[in-house]
Amino acid sequence: MPSMRIRSLYSLALAAAIAGLASLAGFGNFACADTPRDVQIVSTDLRPFSAEQPPDAPGALSEMVQEMQRRVGSSSTIQFLPWSRAQLMAQTQPRTLIYPLTRTQERESQYQWLVKLYEQNFVFIAPRKSGLDLKDVGKLRELRVAVMRGSATAAQLRLLGLRHPLEANTVEDMARMLRSGVCDVLLGSEAIDLRVLDQRGMPASELSVSAPVFTGIIWLGASKDITDQQALAWRQAMLELQSNGSYQRILKKYQLPMPGDSFFKPFSITLTTEEYPPYNMSSPQGQVTGVSTDIVKALLAEAGFHYQLAVYPWARAIAMARTDPDTCVFSMSRTPEREALYQWVGPLVQNDWALFALPDAPVPAQLPDVVKATIGSYQGDAIVPYLQGRGYMVDVAPSDDVNPQKLLHGRIDFWATGKLIGQYRLQQQHIDNIKPVLIFNRTEMYLACQRDMPQNLINQLNDTLAAMDKRGVISTIYSRYGYTR
C-alpha cells in the first residue's frame, strides 16, 4: 500500500490538475471528452520500461499505458518497432501515441507531450578492468562511445563534444559492442542498460558507472493532431493511476524506485499582471481573462506547471517579478532598458503604441511633430522611458484609467498607450470623441520571469510556446476575442 504521504500528494495533485485542466478545456465533466478510440500506439523494446514479450511482463511503462487505455476507452494494440521508425511514425502519421519518449529541447516541437511516465538517469558505463575515469568527460572525447540510434543520448554526445559516437539499433547491440570491445564506453539509461548488460554476462560488479550525466523525464508523446480533449483524458487517467496506488504497484513489480516528490509536484509559478484589456483583465465573476492571460494559462497547462495568478498595480507587479523567486509578470514589453532585469518567455502578443487625441487636435504625421506637446502615460509603462529618452514631455499618471479624462479636460495634449487597450478604455468609459491619430511603435509583449528561475524551465516554456504557435493554438485564442494576428 502506498504511504499516507504519497497518497496525500497524489490526491492534491489529482484534484488541482483535473480542475485546472477541465477549466482550461472549457468543460467540467470528463465523460464529455472526445476519447481517442482510434489512436495507434508505438513503442520499442526497452526493458524494464517496455517489452514485446512476454505478455505478463510487458514492462512498467507499457503496463501504465495499458491501464490508461482502459480508462480512456482505447483498445489499440501497442506496436513494437525499431525506435527510429516509431519516432518517424509519431511525427508523420495522424492519431499516433509514442513511448517511452524522453523530453528534450530538440524534440520539443516534434510532438505533443501528453503524460509524464517516469524519470531516468543517463550514465556512462565501461568495463571496470578498463580503468577509465568516467568522471572526466574530457578524457572520453577520443574514445568510442556507443549510444542508441534516435535516443536522447545521441544528441547529448554532440553537446558533450564526444567525437566518436557509435550508433546501435538496440540496447542489446550496445551491450554486444561493449562486451566485444567494439566500443570503449556506452552512454545510456542506468535502469535499462545495466539490466541488459547483466543478462549478457556483464554484471554490475564488473562495470564502472558514472554519476548521472543528465536526468530525463520519460513521456507518453503524441502526434500534433491529438485534440485537447483527448490529451485531457489521458492526463486524467494517469492521475487516477497515481491516486489509487496502481502507479506504485507497477513500479514495485519491476523493481523500479519511485521518482522523487518533484516528479509528481508540478513546478509552481506566481503570476502577476495588471488590468490591461484586452490582454489581461478581470471578468465580472472575478476571473482573470484576456488574450495574453489565456495564452499564458494554456502554456503553463501544457508545460505541466501550476500557478497562482493575481492582479496588481503595474509598478508592483513588475517589482515582484524582479525580486520574488519563481515569479513572472505579463504582459511585459521587452525593451533594452528591461532586457537584463528578467528572463523572457515569448513573445505572447504584439502591441501597437498609439497617440490618442481629441477631434480638434492637429494630426501628427510622425512622432517628432509632437515634441513640444505634453503626452500622458502612466507609471511603470514602457512607453514612459521610450518617450522621455527621446526628449518628449511625459505626464506620468499612477494609472492609465485617468488619462482619457485628463485629455478631455486639457491637462495633456496627447495620450500614449497601446492601441487596443486605449480603445477598450474609451469604450468602458463611454467616450467616443477620442481617437488614435498615430501609431508610433510596435512592441512584442512577453512573460517576464525573475532572473534566478532555472534556465531549463525558461527553455521549456519557450519551446512549448513555439510548439503551441505551430499548432495554431495562439491564433485560436486571438480569434476567441475577435482579433487576428
Side-chain angles (χ1 to χ4, degrees):
M1 294 293 290
S3 69
M4 292 300 294
R5 180 183 65 82
I6 294 293
R7 278 193 178 277
S8 174
L9 180 61
Y10 290 153
S11 298
L12 289 172
L14 178 64
I18 290 178
L21 290 168
S23 171
L24 185 64
F27 57 84
N29 188 337
F30 280 103
C32 299
D34 176 18
T35 54
R37 297 183 181 274
D38 59 347
V39 297
Q40 63 175 345
I41 305 175
V42 296
S43 186
T44 196
D45 202 303
L46 287 173
R47 304 163 194 246
F49 298 146
S50 52
E52 189 167 9
Q53 296 291 337
D56 61 339
L61 305 190
S62 291
E63 289 202 26
M64 292 177 192
V65 171
Q66 290 168 351
E67 289 285 347
M68 287 188 284
Q69 280 187 270
R70 282 191 278 273
R71 286 163 172 77
V72 303
S74 169
S75 57
S76 301
T77 299
I78 298 172
Q79 304 175 52
F80 285 84
L81 305 166
W83 190 225
S84 295
R85 181 181 171 193
Q87 292 180 76
L88 182 62
M89 286 179 64
Q91 293 173 26
T92 60
Q93 296 189 15
R95 301 183 305 279
T96 303
L97 273 56
I98 179 173
Y99 76 97
L101 191 66
T102 301
R103 189 168 185 169
T104 65
Q105 186 172 352
E106 294 79 11
R107 291 173 173 168
E108 186 66 38
S109 63
Q110 298 173 342
Y111 307 92
Q112 288 196 64
W113 300 92
L114 300 189
V115 178
K116 283 199 297 186
L117 300 176
Y118 195 61
E119 65 181 0
Q120 62 178 334
N121 291 326
F122 291 91
V123 295
F124 288 115
I125 303 174
R128 187 179 298 275
K129 64 183 180 181
S130 68
L132 291 175
D133 181 6
L134 301 182
K135 297 178 182 178
D136 189 346
V137 175
K139 294 180 179 178
L140 305 179
R141 289 200 174 117
E142 298 303 328
L143 300 181
R144 300 162 299 170
V145 183
V147 293
M148 196 170 83
R149 182 174 287 109
S151 69
T153 53
Q156 191 69 22
L157 278 188
R158 292 191 293 272
L159 294 176
L160 293 172
L162 300 182
R163 301 186 179 100
H164 303 291
L166 299 176
E167 293 193 338
N169 290 323
T170 66
V171 177
E172 285 76 10
D173 289 343
M174 292 169 60
R176 283 192 290 268
M177 292 165 71
L178 190 65
R179 185 175 177 81
S180 64
V182 172
C183 71
D184 303 301
V185 62
L186 60 82
L187 176 60
S189 164
E190 185 174 18
I192 296 171
D193 292 26
L194 287 179
R195 293 192 183 208
V196 173
L197 288 166
D198 183 68
Q199 293 166 1
R200 297 287 176 180
M202 299 183 72
S205 60
E206 298 179 5
L207 298 170
S208 294
V209 181
S210 74
V213 179
F214 68 103
T215 298
I217 304 298
I218 305 173
W219 286 72
L220 174 66
S223 54
K224 295 182 179 181
D225 62 318
I226 297 298
T227 67
D228 290 342
Q229 290 87 350
Q230 288 174 331
L232 189 59
W234 285 91
R235 289 167 186 156
Q236 181 211 14
M238 172 53 87
L239 289 169
E240 290 177 357
L241 293 186
Q242 294 171 347
S243 180
N244 67 19
S246 297
Y247 184 88
Q248 304 95 303
R249 174 184 56 78
I250 292 170
L251 291 181
K252 184 176 180 180
K253 174 181 175 179
Y254 290 90
Q255 300 179 341
L256 290 169
M258 284 288 293
D261 285 355
S262 61
F263 176 84
F264 302 102
K265 184 179 179 181
F267 187 80
S268 183
I269 288 178
T270 298
L271 294 175
T272 66
T273 190
E274 64 169 336
E275 293 287 350
Y276 196 73
Y279 302 109
N280 343 300
M281 53 192 176
S282 299
S283 70
Q285 295 76 30
Q287 300 295 317
V288 184
T289 62
V291 179
S292 293
T293 304
D294 286 3
I295 292 172
V296 170
K297 287 180 177 179
L299 167 63
L300 296 183
E302 186 155 328
F305 291 6
H306 279 181
Y307 62 88
Q308 293 178 321
L309 171 59
V311 176
Y312 297 99
W314 186 235
R316 182 181 176 189
I318 61 177
M320 289 175 66
R322 280 194 63 183
T323 60
D324 295 359
D326 302 331
T327 299
C328 301
V329 61
F330 69 96
S331 307
M332 172 82 88
S333 294
R334 188 170 184 173
T335 66
E337 297 84 1
R338 291 171 171 167
E339 183 66 33
L341 302 179
Y342 305 91
Q343 295 206 69
W344 300 90
V345 177
L348 303 174
V349 293
Q350 290 182 332
N351 185 24
D352 287 332
W353 291 355
L355 291 180
F356 286 76
L358 293 168
D360 57 352
V363 177
Q366 55 187 347
L367 193 59
D369 294 346
V370 299
V371 69
K372 296 182 179 181
T374 300
I375 303 171
S377 186
Y378 71 104
Q379 185 179 0
D381 193 11
I383 290 176
V384 174
Y386 179 89
L387 292 175
Q388 289 178 336
R390 289 163 173 78
Y392 294 88
M393 294 181 290
V394 184
D395 186 303
V396 183
S399 168
D400 208 25
D401 282 330
V402 303
N403 282 316
Q405 293 298 325
K406 290 171 68 175
L407 188 59
L408 285 173
H409 291 88
R411 294 172 55 192
I412 56 177
D413 302 310
F414 294 92
W415 169 33
T417 190
K419 181 180 178 182
L420 292 184
I421 174 64
Q423 292 172 326
Y424 181 89
R425 294 197 191 284
L426 292 170
Q427 182 181 15
Q428 294 298 107
Q429 297 181 30
H430 306 289
I431 299 172
D432 58 9
N433 63 336
I434 294 178
K435 305 293 183 184
V437 294
L438 176 69
I439 303 297
F440 64 91
N441 192 30
R442 168 171 285 186
T443 64
E444 295 176 322
M445 295 199 293
Y446 286 71
L447 180 69
C449 298
Q450 203 265 346
R451 284 293 308 170
D452 293 333
M453 186 171 289
Q455 185 62 49
N456 66 307
L457 298 182
I458 298 296
N459 293 342
Q460 180 185 347
L461 288 172
N462 273 309
D463 292 341
T464 302
L465 184 66
M468 287 169 51
D469 193 14
K470 288 183 179 179
R471 300 202 317 269
V473 174
I474 295 176
S475 294
T476 298
I477 292 172
Y478 263 83
S479 64
R480 192 183 303 159
Y481 289 88
Y483 302 115
T484 58
R485 296 182 69 189

PDB file of all heavy atoms in Angstrom, residues 251-262:
ATOM      1  N   LEU A 251       5.494  -0.047 -10.540  1.00  0.00           N
ATOM      2  CA  LEU A 251       6.939   0.151 -10.356  1.00  0.00           C
ATOM      3  C   LEU A 251       7.530  -0.914  -9.434  1.00  0.00           C
ATOM      4  O   LEU A 251       8.626  -1.425  -9.685  1.00  0.00           O
ATOM      5  CB  LEU A 251       7.216   1.544  -9.795  1.00  0.00           C
ATOM      6  CG  LEU A 251       6.950   2.726 -10.724  1.00  0.00           C
ATOM      7  CD1 LEU A 251       7.292   4.033 -10.037  1.00  0.00           C
ATOM      8  CD2 LEU A 251       7.722   2.597 -12.037  1.00  0.00           C
ATOM      9  N   LYS A 252       6.812  -1.257  -8.386  1.00  0.00           N
ATOM     10  CA  LYS A 252       7.295  -2.275  -7.454  1.00  0.00           C
ATOM     11  C   LYS A 252       7.429  -3.623  -8.149  1.00  0.00           C
ATOM     12  O   LYS A 252       8.395  -4.367  -7.911  1.00  0.00           O
ATOM     13  CB  LYS A 252       6.343  -2.384  -6.263  1.00  0.00           C
ATOM     14  CG  LYS A 252       6.815  -3.347  -5.184  1.00  0.00           C
ATOM     15  CD  LYS A 252       5.874  -3.341  -3.992  1.00  0.00           C
ATOM     16  CE  LYS A 252       6.357  -4.298  -2.912  1.00  0.00           C
ATOM     17  NZ  LYS A 252       5.438  -4.297  -1.735  1.00  0.00           N
ATOM     18  N   LYS A 253       6.489  -3.948  -9.035  1.00  0.00           N
ATOM     19  CA  LYS A 253       6.540  -5.211  -9.770  1.00  0.00           C
ATOM     20  C   LYS A 253       7.839  -5.332 -10.555  1.00  0.00           C
ATOM     21  O   LYS A 253       8.425  -6.425 -10.658  1.00  0.00           O
ATOM     22  CB  LYS A 253       5.336  -5.322 -10.704  1.00  0.00           C
ATOM     23  CG  LYS A 253       5.364  -6.530 -11.632  1.00  0.00           C
ATOM     24  CD  LYS A 253       4.146  -6.544 -12.541  1.00  0.00           C
ATOM     25  CE  LYS A 253       4.231  -7.688 -13.563  1.00  0.00           C
ATOM     26  NZ  LYS A 253       3.038  -7.731 -14.454  1.00  0.00           N
ATOM     27  N   TYR A 254       8.308  -4.214 -11.125  1.00  0.00           N
ATOM     28  CA  TYR A 254       9.511  -4.242 -11.957  1.00  0.00           C
ATOM     29  C   TYR A 254      10.752  -3.781 -11.196  1.00  0.00           C
ATOM     30  O   TYR A 254      11.789  -3.520 -11.804  1.00  0.00           O
ATOM     31  CB  TYR A 254       9.291  -3.380 -13.208  1.00  0.00           C
ATOM     32  CG  TYR A 254       8.302  -4.007 -14.164  1.00  0.00           C
ATOM     33  CD1 TYR A 254       6.940  -3.735 -14.056  1.00  0.00           C
ATOM     34  CD2 TYR A 254       8.717  -4.903 -15.138  1.00  0.00           C
ATOM     35  CE1 TYR A 254       6.023  -4.323 -14.912  1.00  0.00           C
ATOM     36  CE2 TYR A 254       7.804  -5.494 -16.005  1.00  0.00           C
ATOM     37  CZ  TYR A 254       6.462  -5.208 -15.882  1.00  0.00           C
ATOM     38  OH  TYR A 254       5.552  -5.798 -16.727  1.00  0.00           O
ATOM     39  N   GLN A 255      10.618  -3.677  -9.886  1.00  0.00           N
ATOM     40  CA  GLN A 255      11.734  -3.317  -9.010  1.00  0.00           C
ATOM     41  C   GLN A 255      12.369  -1.983  -9.414  1.00  0.00           C
ATOM     42  O   GLN A 255      13.588  -1.812  -9.398  1.00  0.00           O
ATOM     43  CB  GLN A 255      12.790  -4.426  -8.998  1.00  0.00           C
ATOM     44  CG  GLN A 255      12.260  -5.769  -8.494  1.00  0.00           C
ATOM     45  CD  GLN A 255      13.309  -6.863  -8.502  1.00  0.00           C
ATOM     46  OE1 GLN A 255      14.328  -6.764  -9.185  1.00  0.00           O
ATOM     47  NE2 GLN A 255      13.081  -7.923  -7.734  1.00  0.00           N
ATOM     48  N   LEU A 256      11.523  -1.037  -9.755  1.00  0.00           N
ATOM     49  CA  LEU A 256      11.967   0.307 -10.104  1.00  0.00           C
ATOM     50  C   LEU A 256      11.657   1.249  -8.941  1.00  0.00           C
ATOM     51  O   LEU A 256      10.581   1.170  -8.343  1.00  0.00           O
ATOM     52  CB  LEU A 256      11.261   0.798 -11.372  1.00  0.00           C
ATOM     53  CG  LEU A 256      11.671   0.107 -12.673  1.00  0.00           C
ATOM     54  CD1 LEU A 256      10.726   0.494 -13.796  1.00  0.00           C
ATOM     55  CD2 LEU A 256      13.100   0.458 -13.037  1.00  0.00           C
ATOM     56  N   PRO A 257      12.569   2.145  -8.604  1.00  0.00           N
ATOM     57  CA  PRO A 257      12.313   3.068  -7.485  1.00  0.00           C
ATOM     58  C   PRO A 257      11.271   4.119  -7.850  1.00  0.00           C
ATOM     59  O   PRO A 257      11.100   4.470  -9.028  1.00  0.00           O
ATOM     60  CB  PRO A 257      13.685   3.707  -7.249  1.00  0.00           C
ATOM     61  CG  PRO A 257      14.372   3.625  -8.574  1.00  0.00           C
ATOM     62  CD  PRO A 257      13.898   2.348  -9.211  1.00  0.00           C
ATOM     63  N   MET A 258      10.582   4.605  -6.841  1.00  0.00           N
ATOM     64  CA  MET A 258       9.652   5.708  -7.057  1.00  0.00           C
ATOM     65  C   MET A 258      10.425   6.977  -7.405  1.00  0.00           C
ATOM     66  O   MET A 258      11.484   7.250  -6.809  1.00  0.00           O
ATOM     67  CB  MET A 258       8.827   5.946  -5.794  1.00  0.00           C
ATOM     68  CG  MET A 258       7.721   4.925  -5.570  1.00  0.00           C
ATOM     69  SD  MET A 258       6.355   5.132  -6.756  1.00  0.00           S
ATOM     70  CE  MET A 258       5.716   6.708  -6.236  1.00  0.00           C
ATOM     71  N   PRO A 259       9.948   7.767  -8.342  1.00  0.00           N
ATOM     72  CA  PRO A 259      10.570   9.070  -8.574  1.00  0.00           C
ATOM     73  C   PRO A 259      10.437   9.953  -7.337  1.00  0.00           C
ATOM     74  O   PRO A 259       9.597   9.704  -6.466  1.00  0.00           O
ATOM     75  CB  PRO A 259       9.765   9.644  -9.753  1.00  0.00           C
ATOM     76  CG  PRO A 259       9.075   8.473 -10.373  1.00  0.00           C
ATOM     77  CD  PRO A 259       8.820   7.507  -9.263  1.00  0.00           C
ATOM     78  N   GLY A 260      11.250  10.988  -7.273  1.00  0.00           N
ATOM     79  CA  GLY A 260      11.171  11.920  -6.164  1.00  0.00           C
ATOM     80  C   GLY A 260       9.884  12.732  -6.193  1.00  0.00           C
ATOM     81  O   GLY A 260       9.162  12.766  -7.200  1.00  0.00           O
ATOM     82  N   ASP A 261       9.599  13.398  -5.080  1.00  0.00           N
ATOM     83  CA  ASP A 261       8.365  14.182  -4.977  1.00  0.00           C
ATOM     84  C   ASP A 261       8.260  15.230  -6.076  1.00  0.00           C
ATOM     85  O   ASP A 261       7.158  15.557  -6.539  1.00  0.00           O
ATOM     86  CB  ASP A 261       8.295  14.875  -3.612  1.00  0.00           C
ATOM     87  CG  ASP A 261       7.955  13.906  -2.486  1.00  0.00           C
ATOM     88  OD1 ASP A 261       7.681  12.723  -2.795  1.00  0.00           O
ATOM     89  OD2 ASP A 261       7.965  14.326  -1.317  1.00  0.00           O
ATOM     90  N   SER A 262       9.400  15.786  -6.494  1.00  0.00           N
ATOM     91  CA  SER A 262       9.359  16.837  -7.512  1.00  0.00           C
ATOM     92  C   SER A 262       8.797  16.340  -8.831  1.00  0.00           C
ATOM     93  O   SER A 262       8.273  17.121  -9.625  1.00  0.00           O
ATOM     94  CB  SER A 262      10.763  17.408  -7.734  1.00  0.00           C
ATOM     95  OG  SER A 262      11.651  16.399  -8.194  1.00  0.00           O
TER      96      SER A 262
END
